[in-house]
Amino acid sequence: MGYPGGMLRRAAFRMDAERAHEFALRALQVGAPALRVGSAWLKRRDASVAQELMGLRFDGPVGLAAGYDKYGRAVRGWGRLGFGFAEIGTITARAQPGNARPRLYRLPADEALVNRMGFNNDGAVVTARRIAAARRGAGAGVPIGVNIGKSRVTPLERAADDHVASFRLLRGVADFVVVNVSSPNTPGLRELQDRDHLTAILSALRDEDVSMRRFDGRPPMPLLVKLAPDLPAAQVEDAVDLSGELGMAGVVLTNTTISREGLHDPSAPGASEQGGLSGPPLRTRADAAVRIAARRASGRLVIAGVGGIMDADDAWQRIASGASLVEVWTGLVYRGPLIARDITLGLMQRMRDEGVSHISEVTGSALGA
Ligand SMILES: Cc1cc2nc3c(=O)[nH]c(=O)nc-3n(C[C@H](O)[C@H](O)[C@H](O)COP(=O)(O)O)c2cc1C
């Protein structure tokens, strides 16, 4: 499927995938002020898709997934492009360069990507400053989440301290914080999804928030945990239970998969590269994870669904499976910069067609009794 910038896309696809991504981000960074002119058109949506969740107002349910704006360079642009929220990061306590390039591959026959970026980012100090500057004045206009992860040099047993260090620096610039324990590209990181590690990290963050609130009186920071699609169902359920016990606001499901199942073209260059697979081949797994979590949480946690959402039908399905919010990354590459607007308008249209008056009625509607 094309979009008005189809020619631009063809040009971008001739570039190395990461360079094209940097180019797109730069265009948004530079173009964000100009977008204000067209923003009524880009943000055309009504009360049927507006939600109050985790104490925050989301004008639209379609957000930017983590890892697109790792450096916080286009914080003001996302809302103007029609996104209802954005996750910045993953940000680590220490700046780090990530893995050697090339580390991002397109699989066009599947509209998929494989990446092993490895948390390249400027670190919490610099990124906090950059986000703060972007949020001054007119600000971002939409909720901004900060996604944090363990620095590569930090051993797993010190992961909680590392997350707390990032959290302290970033809390003041975030509307919500996502804990990323599911990237396949930092050695050992996904072990942090085990109950013991997860308990240590999440309770340390919660306690830190409580003690910081004594000084600044801010409302509790909504904390979410982002999980992998490769976890057995029982582990997803366990993480959901734990999140409930520890007072988390929600879960983000899912990160990229290490599996290569579901590819139409498994012999595509890139398919055999080490890293996480995203886009439509991930859709079924990510959707299944949302269903498992939604059944288990029965409304106690906010679920953000991500993985292979390319259009309004995909978003509808994920919401019907139990998500209140959805996010996109790979869809931006293959469907273009208007994807959030297109999906949001598509959801509104389908609600009208099906006689549904508010998006919250769609959430979990496919789960049955
Ligand atoms: C190049 C690339 C980098 C990513 N970096 C991060 C990251 O830093 N942190 C994170 O939580 N997820 C990261 N992700 C995962 C996405 O946020 C998302 O969970 C995943 O790509 C599935 O969604 P999609 O099919 O819409 O791309 C990255 C994905 C891609 C393609």
Side-chain angles (χ1 to χ4, degrees), residues 140-199:
V142 294
I144 295 295
V146 160
N147 177 306
I148 58 175
K150 185 186 76 67
S151 310
R152 193 181 180 101
V153 293
T154 301
L156 287 184
E157 59 276 13
R158 298 249 325 277
D161 295 343
D162 191 83
H163 282 83
V164 168
S166 294
F167 182 78
R168 262 188 212 131
L169 292 159
L170 289 158
R171 175 177 168 277
V173 301
D175 295 310
F176 62 95
V177 170
V178 180
V179 181
N180 178 10
V181 281
S182 48
S183 167
N185 300 316
T186 295
L189 190 96
R190 286 169 304 152
E191 288 174 36
L192 298 178
Q193 294 173 114
D194 293 348
R195 184 170 255 270
D196 291 351
H197 281 121
L198 212 46
T199 305

Coordinates of all heavy atoms in Angstrom, one line a residue, residues 140-199:
A140 N 5.1 19.0 24.2 CA 4.8 17.9 23.2 C 3.4 17.8 22.8 O 3.0 17.2 21.8 CB 5.4 16.6 23.8
G141 N 2.5 18.2 23.7 CA 1.1 18.2 23.4 C 0.4 16.8 23.6 O -0.8 16.7 23.6
V142 N 1.2 15.8 23.8 CA 0.7 14.4 24.1 C 1.5 13.8 25.2 O 2.6 14.3 25.4 CB 0.8 13.5 22.8 CG1 -0.2 14.0 21.7 CG2 2.2 13.4 22.3
P143 N 1.0 12.8 25.9 CA 1.8 12.2 26.9 C 3.1 11.6 26.3 O 3.1 11.0 25.2 CB 0.9 11.0 27.4 CG -0.5 11.5 27.1 CD -0.4 12.3 25.8
I144 N 4.2 11.8 27.1 CA 5.5 11.3 26.6 C 5.9 10.3 27.7 O 6.1 10.6 28.8 CB 6.5 12.5 26.5 CG1 6.1 13.5 25.4 CG2 7.9 12.0 26.3 CD1 6.1 12.9 24.0
G145 N 6.2 9.1 27.2 CA 6.7 8.0 28.0 C 8.2 8.0 27.8 O 8.7 8.2 26.7
V146 N 8.9 7.6 28.9 CA 10.3 7.4 28.8 C 10.5 5.9 29.0 O 10.1 5.3 30.0 CB 11.0 8.3 29.8 CG1 12.4 7.8 30.1 CG2 11.1 9.7 29.3
N147 N 11.2 5.3 28.1 CA 11.5 3.8 28.2 C 13.0 3.7 28.7 O 13.9 4.2 28.1 CB 11.3 3.2 26.8 CG 11.6 1.8 26.7 OD1 12.7 1.3 27.0 ND2 10.7 1.0 26.1
I148 N 13.1 3.0 29.8 CA 14.5 2.8 30.3 C 14.9 1.3 30.3 O 14.1 0.4 30.4 CB 14.6 3.4 31.8 CG1 13.6 2.7 32.7 CG2 14.4 4.9 31.8 CD1 13.8 3.1 34.2
G149 N 16.2 1.2 30.1 CA 16.8 -0.2 30.1 C 18.1 -0.2 30.7 O 18.7 0.8 31.0
K150 N 18.6 -1.4 31.0 CA 19.9 -1.6 31.7 C 21.1 -1.3 30.8 O 21.1 -1.7 29.6 CB 20.0 -3.1 32.1 CG 21.3 -3.4 32.9 CD 21.4 -4.9 33.2 CE 22.0 -5.6 32.0 NZ 23.3 -5.3 31.6
S151 N 22.0 -0.5 31.3 CA 23.3 -0.2 30.6 C 24.0 -1.5 30.3 O 24.0 -2.4 31.2 CB 24.2 0.7 31.4 OG 23.5 1.8 31.9
R152 N 24.6 -1.6 29.2 CA 25.3 -2.9 28.8 C 26.4 -3.3 29.8 O 26.5 -4.4 30.1 CB 25.9 -2.7 27.4 CG 26.3 -4.0 26.8 CD 27.0 -3.7 25.4 NE 27.4 -5.0 24.8 CZ 26.7 -5.6 23.9 NH1 25.6 -5.2 23.4 NH2 27.2 -6.8 23.4
V153 N 27.1 -2.3 30.3 CA 28.2 -2.6 31.2 C 27.8 -3.0 32.6 O 28.6 -3.5 33.4 CB 29.2 -1.4 31.4 CG1 29.9 -1.1 30.1 CG2 28.5 -0.1 31.9
T154 N 26.5 -2.8 32.9 CA 26.1 -3.1 34.3 C 25.7 -4.6 34.4 O 24.9 -5.1 33.6 CB 24.8 -2.2 34.6 OG1 25.2 -0.9 34.5 CG2 24.3 -2.5 36.0
P155 N 26.3 -5.3 35.3 CA 25.9 -6.7 35.5 C 24.4 -6.9 35.9 O 23.9 -6.0 36.5 CB 26.8 -7.2 36.6 CG 27.4 -6.0 37.2 CD 27.3 -4.8 36.3
L156 N 23.9 -8.0 35.5 CA 22.5 -8.3 35.8 C 22.1 -8.0 37.2 O 21.0 -7.5 37.5 CB 22.1 -9.7 35.4 CG 22.0 -10.0 33.9 CD1 21.5 -11.4 33.7 CD2 21.1 -9.0 33.1
E157 N 23.0 -8.5 38.1 CA 22.6 -8.4 39.6 C 22.6 -6.9 40.0 O 22.1 -6.6 41.1 CB 23.5 -9.2 40.4 CG 25.0 -9.0 40.4 CD 25.7 -9.7 39.2 OE1 25.0 -10.1 38.3 OE2 26.9 -9.7 39.2
R158 N 23.1 -6.0 39.2 CA 23.0 -4.6 39.6 C 22.0 -3.8 38.8 O 22.0 -2.6 38.8 CB 24.4 -3.9 39.5 CG 25.5 -4.5 40.3 CD 26.0 -3.6 41.4 NE 26.0 -2.2 41.0 CZ 27.0 -1.6 40.3 NH1 28.0 -2.3 39.9 NH2 26.9 -0.4 39.9
A159 N 21.2 -4.6 38.1 CA 20.2 -4.0 37.2 C 19.3 -3.0 37.9 O 19.0 -1.9 37.3 CB 19.4 -5.0 36.5
A160 N 18.8 -3.3 39.1 CA 17.9 -2.4 39.8 C 18.5 -1.1 40.0 O 17.8 0.0 39.7 CB 17.4 -3.1 41.1
D161 N 19.7 -1.0 40.5 CA 20.4 0.3 40.7 C 20.5 1.1 39.5 O 20.3 2.3 39.4 CB 21.8 0.1 41.3 CG 21.8 -0.6 42.6 OD1 20.7 -0.6 43.3 OD2 22.8 -1.1 43.0
D162 N 20.8 0.4 38.4 CA 21.0 1.0 37.1 C 19.7 1.7 36.6 O 19.7 2.8 36.1 CB 21.5 0.0 36.1 CG 22.0 0.6 34.8 OD1 23.2 1.0 34.7 OD2 21.2 0.7 33.8
H163 N 18.6 0.9 36.8 CA 17.3 1.5 36.4 C 16.9 2.7 37.3 O 16.4 3.7 36.8 CB 16.2 0.4 36.5 CG 16.2 -0.5 35.4 ND1 17.0 -1.6 35.3 CD2 15.4 -0.6 34.2 CE1 16.7 -2.3 34.2 NE2 15.8 -1.7 33.5
V164 N 17.2 2.6 38.6 CA 16.9 3.7 39.5 C 17.7 4.9 39.1 O 17.2 6.0 39.1 CB 17.2 3.3 41.0 CG1 17.1 4.5 41.9 CG2 16.1 2.2 41.4
A165 N 19.0 4.7 38.7 CA 19.8 5.9 38.3 C 19.1 6.6 37.1 O 19.0 7.8 37.1 CB 21.2 5.4 38.0
S166 N 18.7 5.8 36.1 CA 18.0 6.5 35.0 C 16.7 7.1 35.4 O 16.3 8.2 35.0 CB 17.7 5.4 33.9 OG 18.8 4.9 33.4
F167 N 15.9 6.4 36.2 CA 14.6 6.9 36.7 C 14.7 8.2 37.4 O 14.0 9.2 37.1 CB 14.0 5.9 37.6 CG 12.6 6.2 38.1 CD1 11.5 6.0 37.3 CD2 12.4 6.7 39.4 CE1 10.2 6.4 37.7 CE2 11.1 7.0 39.8 CZ 10.1 6.9 39.0
R168 N 15.7 8.4 38.3 CA 15.9 9.6 39.0 C 16.1 10.8 38.0 O 15.6 11.9 38.2 CB 17.2 9.5 39.8 CG 16.9 9.2 41.2 CD 18.2 9.3 42.1 NE 18.1 8.3 43.1 CZ 19.1 7.4 43.4 NH1 20.2 7.5 42.8 NH2 18.9 6.5 44.3
L169 N 16.9 10.6 37.0 CA 17.2 11.6 36.1 C 16.0 11.9 35.1 O 15.8 13.1 34.7 CB 18.4 11.2 35.2 CG 19.7 11.2 36.0 CD1 20.7 10.3 35.3 CD2 20.2 12.6 36.2
L170 N 15.2 10.9 34.8 CA 14.2 11.1 33.8 C 12.8 11.3 34.3 O 11.9 11.7 33.5 CB 14.2 9.8 32.8 CG 15.5 9.8 32.0 CD1 15.7 8.3 31.5 CD2 15.4 10.7 30.8
R171 N 12.6 11.0 35.5 CA 11.2 11.1 36.1 C 10.6 12.5 35.9 O 9.4 12.6 35.5 CB 11.3 10.8 37.6 CG 10.0 10.9 38.3 CD 10.3 10.5 39.7 NE 9.2 10.8 40.6 CZ 9.0 12.0 41.2 NH1 9.9 13.0 41.0 NH2 8.0 12.2 42.0
G172 N 11.4 13.5 36.0 CA 10.8 14.9 35.9 C 10.4 15.3 34.5 O 9.7 16.3 34.3
V173 N 10.8 14.5 33.5 CA 10.4 14.9 32.1 C 9.5 13.8 31.5 O 9.2 13.9 30.3 CB 11.7 15.0 31.2 CG1 12.6 16.0 31.7 CG2 12.4 13.7 31.0
A174 N 9.0 12.9 32.3 CA 8.2 11.8 31.7 C 6.8 11.9 32.3 O 6.6 12.2 33.5 CB 8.8 10.5 32.1
D175 N 5.8 11.5 31.5 CA 4.4 11.3 31.9 C 4.2 9.9 32.4 O 3.3 9.6 33.2 CB 3.4 11.6 30.8 CG 3.5 13.1 30.5 OD1 3.4 13.9 31.4 OD2 3.6 13.4 29.3
F176 N 5.0 8.9 31.8 CA 5.0 7.6 32.3 C 6.3 6.9 32.0 O 7.1 7.5 31.1 CB 3.8 6.7 31.7 CG 3.8 6.6 30.2 CD1 4.3 5.5 29.6 CD2 3.2 7.6 29.4 CE1 4.3 5.3 28.2 CE2 3.2 7.4 28.0 CZ 3.7 6.3 27.4
V177 N 6.6 5.9 32.6 CA 7.9 5.2 32.4 C 7.7 3.7 32.1 O 6.9 3.0 32.8 CB 8.8 5.4 33.7 CG1 10.1 4.5 33.6 CG2 9.2 6.8 33.9
V178 N 8.4 3.3 31.1 CA 8.3 1.9 30.6 C 9.7 1.2 30.9 O 10.7 1.8 30.6 CB 8.0 1.8 29.1 CG1 7.9 0.3 28.7 CG2 6.7 2.5 28.8
V179 N 9.6 0.1 31.6 CA 10.8 -0.7 31.9 C 11.0 -1.7 30.9 O 10.2 -2.7 30.8 CB 10.7 -1.3 33.3 CG1 12.0 -2.0 33.7 CG2 10.4 -0.2 34.3
N180 N 12.1 -1.6 30.1 CA 12.3 -2.5 29.0 C 13.2 -3.7 29.4 O 14.4 -3.5 29.5 CB 12.9 -1.8 27.8 CG 13.2 -2.7 26.6 OD1 12.8 -3.9 26.6 ND2 13.9 -2.2 25.7
V181 N 12.6 -4.8 29.7 CA 13.4 -6.0 30.1 C 13.3 -7.1 29.0 O 13.6 -8.2 29.2 CB 12.9 -6.6 31.4 CG1 13.5 -5.8 32.6 CG2 11.4 -6.7 31.5
S182 N 13.0 -6.6 27.8 CA 12.7 -7.6 26.7 C 13.5 -7.4 25.4 O 13.2 -8.1 24.5 CB 11.2 -7.5 26.5 OG 10.8 -6.2 26.3
S183 N 14.5 -6.5 25.4 CA 15.2 -6.4 24.2 C 16.1 -7.6 24.0 O 16.8 -8.1 24.9 CB 16.1 -5.2 24.2 OG 17.1 -5.3 23.1
P184 N 16.2 -8.2 22.8 CA 17.0 -9.4 22.6 C 18.5 -8.9 22.3 O 19.3 -9.8 22.1 CB 16.4 -10.0 21.3 CG 15.7 -8.9 20.6 CD 15.3 -7.9 21.6
N185 N 18.8 -7.6 22.3 CA 20.1 -7.2 21.8 C 21.1 -6.7 22.9 O 22.1 -6.1 22.5 CB 19.8 -6.1 20.8 CG 19.0 -6.6 19.6 OD1 19.2 -7.7 19.1 ND2 18.0 -5.8 19.2
T186 N 20.7 -6.9 24.1 CA 21.7 -6.7 25.2 C 21.9 -8.1 25.9 O 20.9 -8.6 26.3 CB 21.2 -5.6 26.2 OG1 21.2 -4.4 25.6 CG2 22.2 -5.5 27.4
P187 N 23.1 -8.6 25.9 CA 23.2 -10.0 26.4 C 22.6 -10.1 27.8 O 22.9 -9.3 28.7 CB 24.8 -10.2 26.4 CG 25.3 -9.2 25.4 CD 24.3 -8.0 25.4
G188 N 21.8 -11.2 27.9 CA 21.3 -11.5 29.2 C 20.1 -10.7 29.7 O 19.4 -11.0 30.6
L189 N 19.8 -9.6 28.9 CA 18.7 -8.7 29.4 C 17.4 -9.4 29.6 O 16.7 -9.0 30.6 CB 18.6 -7.6 28.4 CG 17.7 -6.4 28.9 CD1 18.5 -5.3 29.5 CD2 16.8 -5.8 27.8
R190 N 17.0 -10.3 28.8 CA 15.7 -10.8 28.9 C 15.5 -11.7 30.2 O 14.4 -12.0 30.6 CB 15.3 -11.6 27.6 CG 14.9 -10.6 26.5 CD 14.8 -11.2 25.2 NE 16.0 -11.9 24.9 CZ 16.0 -13.0 24.1 NH1 14.9 -13.5 23.6 NH2 17.2 -13.6 23.9
E191 N 16.7 -12.1 30.8 CA 16.6 -12.8 32.1 C 15.9 -11.9 33.1 O 15.4 -12.4 34.1 CB 18.0 -13.2 32.5 CG 18.6 -14.4 31.7 CD 20.0 -14.6 32.1 OE1 20.3 -14.5 33.3 OE2 20.8 -14.9 31.2
L192 N 16.0 -10.6 32.9 CA 15.4 -9.7 33.9 C 13.9 -9.8 33.9 O 13.2 -9.2 34.8 CB 15.8 -8.2 33.5 CG 17.3 -8.0 33.6 CD1 17.5 -6.5 33.2 CD2 17.9 -8.2 35.0
Q193 N 13.3 -10.6 33.0 CA 11.8 -10.9 33.1 C 11.5 -11.9 34.1 O 10.3 -12.2 34.4 CB 11.3 -11.3 31.7 CG 11.5 -10.2 30.6 CD 11.1 -10.6 29.2 OE1 10.1 -10.2 28.6 NE2 11.9 -11.5 28.7
D194 N 12.5 -12.6 34.7 CA 12.2 -13.6 35.7 C 11.6 -12.9 36.9 O 12.0 -11.7 37.2 CB 13.5 -14.2 36.2 CG 14.1 -15.1 35.2 OD1 13.4 -15.3 34.2 OD2 15.3 -15.5 35.3
R195 N 10.8 -13.6 37.7 CA 10.1 -13.0 38.8 C 11.1 -12.2 39.8 O 10.8 -11.1 40.2 CB 9.3 -14.0 39.6 CG 8.5 -13.5 40.7 CD 7.5 -14.5 41.2 NE 6.2 -14.2 40.8 CZ 5.3 -13.4 41.5 NH1 5.7 -12.8 42.6 NH2 4.1 -13.2 41.1
D196 N 12.2 -12.9 40.1 CA 13.1 -12.3 41.1 C 13.7 -11.0 40.6 O 13.7 -10.0 41.3 CB 14.2 -13.2 41.5 CG 13.6 -14.4 42.3 OD1 12.5 -14.4 42.7 OD2 14.4 -15.4 42.5
H197 N 14.2 -11.0 39.4 CA 14.8 -9.8 38.9 C 13.8 -8.7 38.7 O 14.0 -7.5 39.1 CB 15.5 -10.1 37.5 CG 16.8 -10.8 37.6 ND1 17.0 -12.0 37.0 CD2 17.9 -10.4 38.1 CE1 18.3 -12.3 37.2 NE2 18.9 -11.4 37.9
L198 N 12.7 -9.1 38.2 CA 11.6 -8.1 37.9 C 11.1 -7.5 39.2 O 10.9 -6.3 39.3 CB 10.4 -8.8 37.2 CG 9.6 -8.0 36.2 CD1 10.5 -7.2 35.3 CD2 8.7 -9.0 35.4
T199 N 11.0 -8.3 40.2 CA 10.6 -7.8 41.6 C 11.6 -6.8 42.1 O 11.2 -5.7 42.5 CB 10.5 -8.9 42.6 OG1 9.6 -9.9 42.1 CG2 9.9 -8.4 43.9

